[in-house]
Amino acid sequence: MLSYRLVQKTKVLAGSGVIRQLPQLLEETGFCKPFLVFDQGLSETTIITCITDLLNKNNYPYTIYDRITPDPAANLVDDGATLFKKHSCDCIIAIGGGSTLDAAKGINIMCHNAGKILDFVGHEERMKPASSLICVPTTAGTGSELSDWIVITDLVKKEKHPINVSNSMCEYAILDPELTFDLPPQITAATGLDVFSHAFEAYTSLRSNIATDLICEKIMETVATYLPIAVKDGHNRKAREQMMIAASYGGWMLVDGIVHIGHCIAHEIGAAFHIPHGAACSYAFPAMVKHIAYADPDKIKYAGKFLGASFDGSETPDVIAQKTCDAYIHFRDNVVSLTPLSHYEPDLSKVNLSMAKTIVKDPLTSMTPVPVTLEDVMYMLYTIFV
């Protein structure tokens, strides 16, 4: 069986002002009645007004579903699909950050499949293909518009579940950096650090390959160069453009390179302590780097150089990992000034064996270049929180 190492199925419109091409996209695709998915935080923004004005002026009736919350819950996905069918919509326009795009991808799946979204956790082979999804990201972070994964929260079990949606990805993506101009600095920082995590983990995973490595290197370089500018001046067009493309390419690398233990830890601590996903990935980053220190020190060194680390060639893998971590922490805490972990006042009683077992069982953990044991995870969690 052939193993393709560079696949990208989504049709992409990119550049300042491309959101204004939305009516033309609907006309060319034959979609007539969009289902708009976003969160209430966007409800009164000019972003939504811009899109609804475009639809109104071009006589496209639409239905709004604005109930999406961070860490989208399974019931919101299932309820959205029910509403989509009730109003006989024929496409979904997802507007927002990673939570909204993930929820919309889940809704899209359930518009073409019976049952509940959580039925597909670990059973993705049962999923019938789903199309008709247009993603309009308003952050430069998750890259969900080009990725083949979603993360859905089970409110009953209080767990996050990654679900592979390789046959039900976003069909069209509209990447307009102008939609990110008013993102606050903290959201800009957290989502941008998520991009770096996507690239670094795909760069070092067991699925890394010659085709994806070059892209991952450029993504990391772009984040190191332009994220500080975007944090300082949200209306810097070039920085926003560069981060928007880097974020989408980072999502693409989730398809072909795949993330590993850093993201697996982030899923759990994010769900347990209501930490934004990008921030959770960033807090987990140093522990992850030290765990994989001996897997490919040259790659770790290369990533460290983007962040400003210096090497003289005599360093052991442990020292390379430490220097890279030191540079990363400085970049995270001092250059882009991410909110510290203590801000979330985590209940450390939740950092326990049960959490560690869930992380070990995460299918993405198997992509880590160094085997991960229960003891390894407990140690990584300890270093993050103590």
Side-chain angles (χ1 to χ4, degrees):
M1 183 176 181
L2 297 174
S3 179
Y4 296 105
R5 306 316 297 268
L6 202 60
V7 178
Q8 207 288 99
K9 302 176 182 178
T10 306
K11 300 176 182 68
V12 178
L13 292 169
S16 292
V18 291
I19 189 62
R20 291 186 281 277
Q21 295 181 23
L22 176 60
Q24 183 181 348
L25 173 61
L26 294 174
E27 180 181 1
E28 291 186 0
T29 56
F31 296 140
C32 299
K33 192 173 182 183
F35 187 70
L36 307 188
V37 178
F38 51 91
D39 63 54
Q40 289 195 343
L42 279 181
S43 294
E44 303 301 324
T45 67
T46 56
I47 293 174
I48 298 301
T49 303
C50 169
I51 291 172
T52 54
D53 282 352
L54 286 168
L55 296 175
N56 290 329
K57 288 177 182 177
N58 289 274
N59 300 312
Y60 284 103
Y62 53 85
T63 298
I64 286 177
Y65 186 62
D66 61 357
R67 292 175 51 199
I68 307 305
T69 60
D71 305 321
N75 66 295
L76 294 182
V77 170
D78 296 329
D79 291 349
T82 299
L83 189 64
F84 178 100
K85 296 172 185 176
K86 178 181 178 180
H87 289 274
S88 301
C89 296
D90 61 4
C91 69
I92 298 172
I93 301 176
I95 311 149
S99 292
T100 295
L101 303 192
D102 275 12
K105 286 158 78 174
I107 292 169
N108 188 44
I109 290 164
M110 298 318 302
C111 289
H112 296 80
N113 288 270
K116 306 289 186 182
I117 188 63
L118 291 180
D119 295 340
F120 297 102
V121 175
H123 300 287
E124 289 89 348
E125 74 283 354
R126 300 175 184 173
M127 191 185 298
K128 295 179 182 177
S131 57
S132 69
L133 174 62
I134 301 168
C135 284
V136 185
T138 60
T139 68
T142 67
S144 184
E145 65 275 9
L146 295 193
S147 81
D148 61 350
W149 288 90
I150 61 175
V151 180
I152 302 298
T153 300
D154 182 339
L155 291 180
V156 176
K157 296 182 179 179
K158 296 182 179 179
E159 296 175 349
K160 284 188 177 183
H161 295 287
I163 303 173
N164 185 266
V165 296
S166 58
N167 66 348
S168 302
M169 295 170 62
C170 164
E171 191 170 2
Y172 303 93
I174 299 177
L175 309 182
D176 190 332
E178 292 182 9
L179 303 183
T180 68
F181 278 0
D182 294 325
L183 272 181
Q186 274 302 311
I187 297 178
T188 299
T191 53
L193 288 167
D194 191 21
V195 179
F196 196 92
S197 288
H198 289 163
F200 181 88
E201 291 183 44
Y203 189 51
T204 55
S205 84
L206 292 179
R207 285 271 302 178
S208 66
N209 61 82
I210 191 171
T212 58
D213 280 357
L214 190 65
I215 298 171
C216 289
E217 289 171 358
K218 187 60 179 179
I219 293 169
M220 290 186 285
E221 180 184 14
T222 299
V223 173
T225 301
Y226 289 101
L227 180 58
I229 300 172
V231 169
K232 184 177 181 180
D233 177 10
H235 284 252
N236 185 297
R237 188 175 301 274
K238 183 173 183 179
R240 289 299 196 185
E241 287 174 344
Q242 292 290 316
M243 286 304 303
M244 178 68 84
I245 296 299
S248 287
Y249 276 28
W252 180 16
M253 293 303 95
L254 299 184
V255 178
D256 299 297
I258 305 181
V259 292
H260 51 81
I261 189 61
H263 264 65
C264 299
I265 291 173
H267 291 158
E268 294 308 309
I269 66 174
F273 308 121
H274 305 292
I275 300 170
H277 174 70
C281 289
S282 188
Y283 303 140
F285 190 91
M288 175 263 295
V289 171
K290 291 177 182 178
H291 178 74
I292 66 169
Y294 282 80
D296 197 332
D298 288 340
K299 283 188 172 182
I300 294 174
K301 180 190 293 187
Y302 203 70
K305 288 179 179 178
F306 291 134
L307 298 168
S310 298
F311 304 92
D312 61 21
S314 66
E315 294 87 359
T316 65
D318 284 328
V319 173
I320 290 171
Q322 186 62 58
K323 284 190 172 185
T324 296
C325 288
D326 290 345
Y328 179 86
I329 292 169
H330 174 75
F331 183 81
R332 180 192 71 191
D333 296 350
N334 302 115
V335 179
V336 300
S337 302
L338 183 70
T339 300
L341 177 57
S342 59
H343 168 80
Y344 300 97
E345 299 180 346
D347 177 1
L348 298 187
S349 68
K350 295 181 180 180
V351 183
N352 52 32
L353 196 60
S354 177
M355 177 182 281
K357 287 180 178 178
T358 301
I359 293 168
V360 170
K361 291 178 182 177
D362 190 314
L364 295 176
T365 296
S366 65
M367 292 294 104
T368 311
V370 174
V372 179
T373 67
L374 196 59
E375 292 75 15
D376 292 330
V377 174
M378 288 299 294
Y379 180 75
M380 284 187 271
L381 289 171
Y382 175 83
T383 62
I384 292 169
F385 288 98
V386 177

